[in-house]
Amino acid sequence: MHLMAWGNIYRRRMKVFSLAVVIYLDYKALQQREKWTNKSKRATLWEKAHQRNAKRVLRLIIELEGLWVKLGQYLSTRADVLPDAYILLLKQLQDSLPPRRLEEVCRSIQKELGMSMDDLFLNFVEVPLATASIAQVHRATLRDGQEVVVKVQHEGIKTVILEDLKNAKSIVDWIAWAEPQYDFNPMIDEWCKEAPKELDFNHEAENTRTVSRNSGCRDRRNDNMPRVDVLIPEVIQYMDGIRLNDSESLQAFGVDKLKLVEEITRAYAHQIYVDGFFNGDPHPGNFLVSKEPPYTPIILDFGLTKLLSSSMKQALAKMFLASAEGDYVALLSAFAEMGLKLRLDIPEQAMEVINVFFRTSTPPSEALENMKALADQRTKNMKVIQEKLNLKEKEVKRFNPVDAFPGDIVIFTRVLNLLRGLSTTMDVRINYMDIMRPFAESVLQCNISNGPALNAQWILNTPAHSDLEAKLRHLLVELGNADKILGIQVCAYKSGEVIIDTSAGVLGRYDPRPVQPDSLFPVFSVTKGITAGMLHWLIDHRKLKLEESVANIWPEFKPNKKDAIKVHHVLNHTSGLHNALADLTLENPLLMCDWDECLNHIALSAPETEPGHKQLYHHRSFGWLCGGIIEHVSGKKFQEILEEVFIHPLKIEGELYIGIPPGMIRTLLDLTGMTSRNDLPSIFQRGDIAQRVTTVPAVSNALHVRRAILPSSNGHCSARALARYYASLVDGGVIPPPHSSLSKPPLGSHPHTPTFASKKTPKESKGVNIKELFTASDNIGSSEQRQNYDNSNRESSVGKADSNNYTRLASDSSCSNNSYPTTADKGMDDNHQTVCKIFSNPRVHDAFLGAGEYENLILPGGKFGLGFRRVCTKDGSTIGFGHSGLGGSTGYCDITNRFAIAVTVNKMSFGPVTERIINLVCSELDIPLPEEFSRGTDLQLNLEKPLIN
């Protein structure tokens, strides 16, 4: 029977469409009939419908052959998706199609090889071993006695395949027009590109040799990678084995089906992630099992293979590890690297979809329930999309969330689905995360140097600002080679000028991109120093008083006898609310991402100690206490105040956030590893660290966490933005000159500007007239303003410098933020040059530290002043203020020496790297070394599992 004897392309297309309509109407009618049928009989009705429709599909596929057989083979492996009736019948397509006549086979062999059958073979078995969509195979013996398998392509199959591809393309185009959310064009386009290659047996032979060579290079592999044991026949070779669908033989030989499928999965993980060259057709018909222990899998048929570029291979590995870690940032970064674009910001749904691909496989008995759960989840996701875009019911059905789908992913996802179907068919449960992870990790780790010794560009190539910076870079290289640093930024100011601005290392353990000056590091409790500065700005602007009762500003805060808690208690960590959020975050740590829930919880909490009597670090509650006060006093969003107060005046746009806005993926770094520090809350001490340390980066790297407003711990900034902030504070609020042009890109040049919701309507609070506060004079430089900052008239008790010594700084001829007149005002220094200031109080340092006139507002002997940690020398002298973070990042300033420094790291530590850096810088500048960085500790904690970048 000639393949095209029954009709042309249009008749084939009509047969496909007709069958699709018949099956569709059959199921729709059954849905209506089901409503009037007893529940006990419904399962039987559906089973019969599946059986008759599966027979219809099988009959048509056998009749049409060609590409439709490939589709049937694919469907036959999806026991996790299709009912048993389809799987049982479509299995026949794996290698049991009606064979071609021997005359046709002999004719093809003689035509291709130019020799007669007698000249080629001593023996040729007429009954084929298997018949598939493109070819059939016969066992034979060559004239030299070698046992071989002869694969013979069907006559005319090339024409049929190409015509069927056109048919499939037309059908997909029609579906995309009728139902845009089911646009499969990227899949069919990739199939049209790859499928014809299967028709070139010379191409298949070379593919076989390549995969065989790759699998044989085990001696050069990473020692940590699991061994892969599979057999691949030579191009001219016969291997005897058991078919995977021969359950009786597998049982008779004692084959462990779980180990068998795990080994196949490992082989494909190696092909994809390590080799970047893999077999794209792992259906059961393309596998055998050797008949000798240890019953090794034999992989056949390399007609359909896929070659991945190095960048795509890394992106796929990164996507897998992002799924394994639940790291939304890494997932979206992987999408961007592979060219996958989404039409809207739905990272949670994207993560769900990827998790579906890599989820543990299920046996057939659980497949139906699993598919129902996935269908329900898809319905929920579409409702979310509908709400986000305000779509009507008809519009959401036509919405496709994918804007660009790279072709390389098509064969990759096909392989994942076929492997899942294979495990379901074999009735085994496979944990893909555990099996594939070592291979995904290896490909990323082997593409990243372990440090500067192997990477000449490890230190970003920018000119050094000083000899000190050159010395610092030598130290960073030393620490990098010792594997103490993954990625780092260091920036320092001295007397208002930049003296250090260095970036080094890579964005993450699995991300080889270099750290740039504007890369954003998560800095944890460093954030508290920024939040405290915002509160002091409101005080400086007469919108708030340090001795004001918090309940007077924030009426909801009054319950549980919190009337006595003043603003200065909050800043000094003496409010007694140090555990105010402990029970909330213990119940569900992710509740800390809910701003309103946290504020409500704080407002209803009860103090554990009397205000002002005990200083206990408010490591979680501090930020929301300050945040609640900030929003209630200002009537604005927390982020709006942050931008108005510091971001715009300092020109650090795009380089300092508390809560990352959507779209900020390019410059983000993520956390890995951790070492130790002993000045933190008890939950982070060595006794508990083994249980908690691995969860800190994993939770912090989650995108919904990084987007949340966590004013205690969710700052994301560059070191140069943080150093510029402290350089301004050390000079009493004077804005430093524009940042040095030696650093590229220019500070504040990031194009992204976050948007905020509409302003809150200010609430009337007893004792505070909000309207009056906002209409009060904003002449920051006036004498009245200076007098109203809580009686700050005495000489500073910090250091020996007078106010002029740390506020005198010439700037450019005009104020750097004329658009923000209420934030930074102009003044004149002693040289009659214009300066711009954020704060007007000449004793603002006393206010930060709780010194001088403010000394009665803090608990004596404590580490904290009013919002900032006091920076002291070993002899107890206070030299400045700042705040460090859990992961090792820090920012502080030395008032007497007009010095400010920031260090940001992404390999979490408890301070040894930062300590070495601060020691070097202070020593070279001959300025006091803070006691915090003079302990000489070098505690290291190595995590068993690396954390995704």
Side-chain angles (χ1 to χ4, degrees), residues 33 53 124 135 145 194 247 265 373 461 552 742 760 851 932 946:
R33 184 180 175 187
N53 287 317
F124 189 89
E194 296 294 336
S247 300
T265 304
N461 187 22
N552 201 34
L742 297 179
K760 290 182 178 179
E932 178 183 359

Side-chain angles (χ1 to χ4, degrees), residues 483-516:
D483 197 28
K484 302 289 186 181
I485 295 176
L486 186 65
I488 192 168
Q489 295 168 329
V490 183
C491 184
Y493 282 73
K494 182 73 170 67
S495 302
E497 298 292 336
V498 177
I499 59 170
I500 298 171
D501 191 4
T502 287
S503 303
V506 294
L507 295 186
R509 191 182 298 275
Y510 303 125
D511 194 335
R513 292 176 295 170
V515 173
Q516 300 287 342

Side-chain angles (χ1 to χ4, degrees), residues 708-745:
I709 311 301
L710 313 180
S712 276
S713 59
N714 204 32
H716 291 79
C717 64
S718 65
R720 62 183 189 168
L722 186 61
R724 187 169 175 80
Y725 169 71
Y726 276 105
S728 173
L729 297 190
V730 81
D731 279 333
V734 174
I735 297 173
H739 201 76
S740 169
S741 60
L742 297 179
S743 298
K744 301 293 182 181

Side-chain angles (χ1 to χ4, degrees), residues 222-393:
N222 189 320
D223 291 338
N224 296 324
M225 195 185 306
R227 180 178 177 81
V228 176
D229 288 311
V230 294
L231 298 174
I232 299 172
E234 298 293 335
V235 174
I236 302 177
Q237 184 182 8
Y238 169 75
M239 279 191 176
D240 190 19
I242 311 164
R243 299 194 180 281
L244 291 191
N245 58 9
D246 188 350
S247 300
E248 292 183 0
S249 296
L250 291 175
Q251 187 175 0
F253 277 87
V255 176
D256 186 327
K257 292 193 293 184
L258 176 61
K259 289 184 179 179
L260 178 70
V261 179
E262 285 180 342
E263 201 60 56
I264 291 173
T265 304
R266 268 191 286 272
Y268 273 83
H270 188 282
Q271 289 178 36
I272 293 169
Y273 295 119
V274 179
D275 304 329
F277 187 78
F278 60 93
N279 181 344
D281 202 18
H283 67 76
N286 284 342
F287 295 100
L288 296 173
V289 183
S290 65
K291 293 182 177 180
E292 298 293 332
Y295 307 115
T296 307
I298 303 170
I299 305 179
L300 311 171
D301 192 348
F302 294 88
L304 177 60
T305 56
K306 186 65 183 175
L307 175 64
L308 300 174
S309 66
S310 177
S311 59
M312 178 59 71
K313 184 173 67 172
Q314 291 183 44
L316 289 174
K318 189 171 182 178
M319 180 179 71
F320 173 88
L321 290 166
S323 176
E325 293 290 342
D327 188 338
Y328 294 86
V329 174
L331 180 67
L332 297 185
S333 175
F335 284 173
E337 290 169 20
M338 65 178 62
L340 178 63
K341 297 179 182 178
L342 303 176
R343 286 197 169 97
L344 72 167
D345 183 44
I346 48 172
E348 292 81 7
Q349 292 193 20
M351 180 64 77
E352 286 178 4
V353 171
I354 299 303
N355 285 339
V356 167
F357 280 119
F358 298 118
R359 71 191 187 280
T360 300
S361 63
T362 55
S365 59
E366 301 175 20
L368 182 60
E369 183 179 347
N370 190 41
M371 289 308 300
K372 286 182 178 179
L374 293 175
D376 291 342
Q377 187 59 53
R378 185 181 186 281
T379 301
K380 292 178 182 177
N381 289 344
M382 293 308 294
K383 286 183 179 179
V384 172
I385 292 174
Q386 184 177 2
E387 291 173 2
K388 273 196 172 189
L389 299 180
N390 196 23
L391 299 175
K392 297 179 181 178
E393 196 67 35

